[in-house]
């Protein structure tokens, strides 16, 4: 598959984050003299694109270290750097571009982890999709189904939020739109029994990927935990192993609050990866850095719009390069 196809729409969806961040950064580094306050302003710009204080501070400290190691700056330049007051644009001195490149490298290093690839190597795979209502979970299940069907997988999707009639109807509408079979139960049917039927169908018929949509009523944590644990137990029992992936869906426009949601779900169920939706409409793409760096979870997919094709695999390199 061509690389640009895999990451289609990804760069475009970062437009707002990029616009907000690079506008601020360019204005900081448009001066001929770097003042101590400029690196504080850079830190502020990072926080405004929804990178946490802690990570933004680490990034700025990392930039200082990186640029002080650059050959050609010389002892005088290094001394000035420690004082954070360096003339820009002179030969052998720091330029705004050097700082910007150091920023890019620093962000890359924060998000380049050695995560294994998505676990879809088995003959029959199951992905469990969790997350708070409204973040774009059902839409993501629909889009992900099509994503894998387009890449040769025989996919079924299951509607395990039986509490919300709209949830089931919405997923069935996605099934009609994308030609993917949907397993759904009756209203208020035990979600685990819908999961059981879906796993059985995956095993008995010629399917190789089951994607399960779940409920997201986080206000009743105990109930949700029981519900998710039961679904997981049924999957393990029926398919001989737990879900191959448990992805949490979060909404980029909620910024740092999305990180809190991930922390809360981690208390309920093991999470193996994150899908970030609505990046197209948000300038808060900075949370991606914290998801990887602070929560140590891989970002697997990015939602880049409402229509079926608006999903893209995540790449740390493309993310860092697209930001500037
Ligand atoms: P759920 O309650 O978590 O299942 O959320 P839904 O799937 O119903 O989505 C909530 C709203 O977000 C819907 O209007 C979707 O069309 C919209 N949505 C979902 N993903 C994206 C995305 O990546 N970009 C944009 N712009 N909208 C999205």
């Amino acid at each position: 598959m061509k690389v640009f196809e895999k990451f289609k729409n990804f760069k475009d969806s970062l437009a707002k984050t990029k616009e907000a961040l690079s506008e601020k950064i360019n204005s900081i580094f448009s001066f001929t003299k770097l003042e101590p306050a400029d690196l504080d302003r850079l830190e502020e710009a990072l926080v405004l694109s929804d990178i946490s204080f802690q990570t933004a501070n680490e990034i700025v400290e990392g930039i200082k270290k990186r640029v002080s190691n650059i050959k050609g700056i010389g002892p005088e330049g290094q001394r000035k750097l420690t004082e954070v007051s360096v003339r820009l644009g002179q030969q052998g001195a720091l330029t705004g571009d050097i700082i910007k490149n150091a920023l890019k490298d620093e962000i890359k290093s924060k998000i380049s982890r050695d995560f294994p690839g998505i676990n879809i190597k088995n003959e029959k795979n199951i992905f469990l999709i969790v997350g708070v209502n409204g973040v774009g979970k059902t839409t993501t299940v629909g889009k992900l189904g099509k994503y894998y069907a387009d890449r040769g997988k025989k996919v079924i999707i299951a509607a395990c939020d039986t509490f919300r009639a709209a949830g089931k109807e919405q997923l069935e509408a996605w099934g009609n739109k994308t030609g993917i079979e949907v397993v759904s139960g009756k209203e208020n049917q035990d979600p685990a029994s819908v999961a059981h039927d879906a796993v059985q169908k995956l095993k008995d018929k010629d399917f190789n990927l089951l994607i399960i949509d779940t409920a997201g009523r986080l206000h009743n944590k105990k109930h949700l935990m029981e519900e998710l644990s039961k679904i997981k137990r049924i999957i393990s029992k029926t398919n001989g192993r737990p879900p191959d992936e448990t992805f949490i869906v979060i909404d980029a426009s909620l910024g740092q609050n999305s990180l809190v949601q991930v922390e809360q779900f981690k208390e309920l169920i093991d999470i193996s990866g994150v899908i970030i939706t609505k990046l197209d409409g948000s300038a808060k793409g900075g949370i991606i850095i914290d998801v990887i760096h602070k929560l140590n979870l891989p970002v697997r997919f990015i939602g880049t719009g409402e229509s079926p094709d608006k999903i893209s695999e995540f790449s740390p390199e493309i993310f860092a390069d697209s930001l500037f």
Side-chain angles (χ1 to χ4, degrees):
M1 188 195 319
K2 293 188 189 92
V3 172
F4 73 84
E5 253 177 52
K6 208 167 152 189
F7 302 112
K8 221 170 99 197
N9 305 319
F10 183 15
K11 274 188 157 181
D12 294 347
S13 72
L14 285 167
K16 285 207 170 152
T17 303
K18 179 182 168 170
E19 204 180 292
L21 197 59
S22 54
E23 205 174 87
K24 284 185 208 101
I25 288 172
N26 286 337
S27 81
I28 296 170
F29 296 122
S30 63
F31 303 109
T32 50
K33 192 173 183 306
L34 185 73
E35 300 292 346
D38 290 338
L39 286 181
D40 292 341
R41 287 171 63 207
L42 172 61
E43 197 170 321
E44 236 174 76
L46 297 175
V47 170
L48 285 174
S49 68
D50 263 71
I51 299 173
S52 65
F53 282 106
Q54 186 197 326
T55 304
N57 183 264
E58 282 176 33
I59 289 174
V60 169
E61 290 306 314
I63 291 172
K64 286 187 198 168
K65 266 197 207 120
R66 268 172 204 275
V67 292
S68 65
N69 288 333
I70 293 174
K71 278 200 188 117
I73 289 181
E76 178 64 2
Q78 294 212 16
R79 187 185 64 73
K80 286 183 173 173
L81 180 74
T82 352
E83 293 164 8
V84 205
S85 173
V86 180
R87 283 203 168 278
L88 298 179
Q90 290 177 355
Q91 211 185 0
L94 285 174
T95 63
D97 278 348
I98 291 180
I99 302 257
K100 272 192 256 176
N101 277 331
L103 172 61
K104 196 198 284 187
D105 289 344
E106 195 52 34
I107 289 180
K108 258 188 205 167
S109 81
K110 291 264 172 291
I111 60 176
S112 302
R113 297 266 165 104
D114 230 357
F115 294 121
I118 296 173
N119 189 4
I120 189 166
K121 289 164 208 81
N122 292 300
E123 199 195 327
K124 308 264 179 190
N125 298 281
I126 300 177
F127 292 175
L128 191 62
I129 312 295
V130 302
V132 173
N133 287 341
V135 293
K137 201 160 20 99
T138 304
T139 307
T140 300
V141 170
K143 286 196 276 190
L144 208 53
K146 181 171 187 311
Y147 181 89
Y148 280 109
D150 286 349
R151 283 152 183 81
K153 296 277 176 196
K154 294 193 179 74
V155 185
I156 30 167
I157 52 185
C160 282
D161 184 0
T162 52
F163 182 76
R164 250 184 354 146
K168 174 183 150 186
E169 281 158 21
Q170 201 186 336
L171 206 60
E172 282 169 352
W174 270 98
N176 287 335
K177 205 165 12 182
T178 56
I180 291 171
E181 191 165 335
V182 180
V183 177
S184 53
K186 294 189 188 68
E187 212 176 318
N188 291 324
Q189 184 180 331
D190 182 352
S193 82
V194 181
H196 173 267
D197 294 348
V199 180
Q200 205 58 57
K201 200 158 197 173
L202 169 80
K203 290 187 69 181
D204 295 346
K205 301 267 173 72
D206 185 24
F207 291 113
N208 35 49
L209 175 63
L210 164 63
I211 306 174
I212 300 178
D213 192 14
T214 59
R217 291 175 296 279
L218 196 55
H219 58 269
N220 192 341
K221 247 179 159 179
K222 188 168 173 282
H223 183 261
L224 187 58
M225 187 193 284
E226 280 163 7
E227 190 168 311
L228 293 175
S229 308
K230 196 167 170 194
I231 292 176
K232 224 178 125 177
R233 262 200 321 277
I234 291 282
I235 292 173
S236 300
K237 209 169 141 196
T238 321
N239 202 36
R241 61 173 194 281
D244 299 296
E245 293 283 355
T246 301
F247 292 140
I248 181 163
V249 178
I250 56 174
D251 174 347
S253 64
L254 298 179
Q256 287 285 314
N257 286 336
S258 286
L259 263 83
V260 177
Q261 288 177 5
V262 180
E263 299 276 20
Q264 288 174 323
F265 266 87
K266 273 171 86 179
E267 290 168 20
L268 308 182
I269 190 164
D270 292 334
I271 304 288
S272 62
V274 180
I275 300 179
I276 302 182
T277 61
K278 309 187 197 181
L279 202 61
D280 48 306
S282 168
K284 297 181 174 179
I287 58 157
I288 289 176
I289 299 167
D290 277 311
V291 166
I292 302 170
H293 176 62
K294 268 176 88 181
L295 304 180
N296 196 25
L297 282 169
V299 173
R300 295 306 198 182
F301 290 94
I302 297 292
T304 58
E306 292 183 272
S307 52
D309 283 324
K310 297 286 187 188
I311 190 159
S312 168
E313 274 195 50
F314 176 78
S315 145
E317 287 76 28
I318 293 185
F319 175 71
D321 287 338
S322 309
L323 277 183
F324 304 100

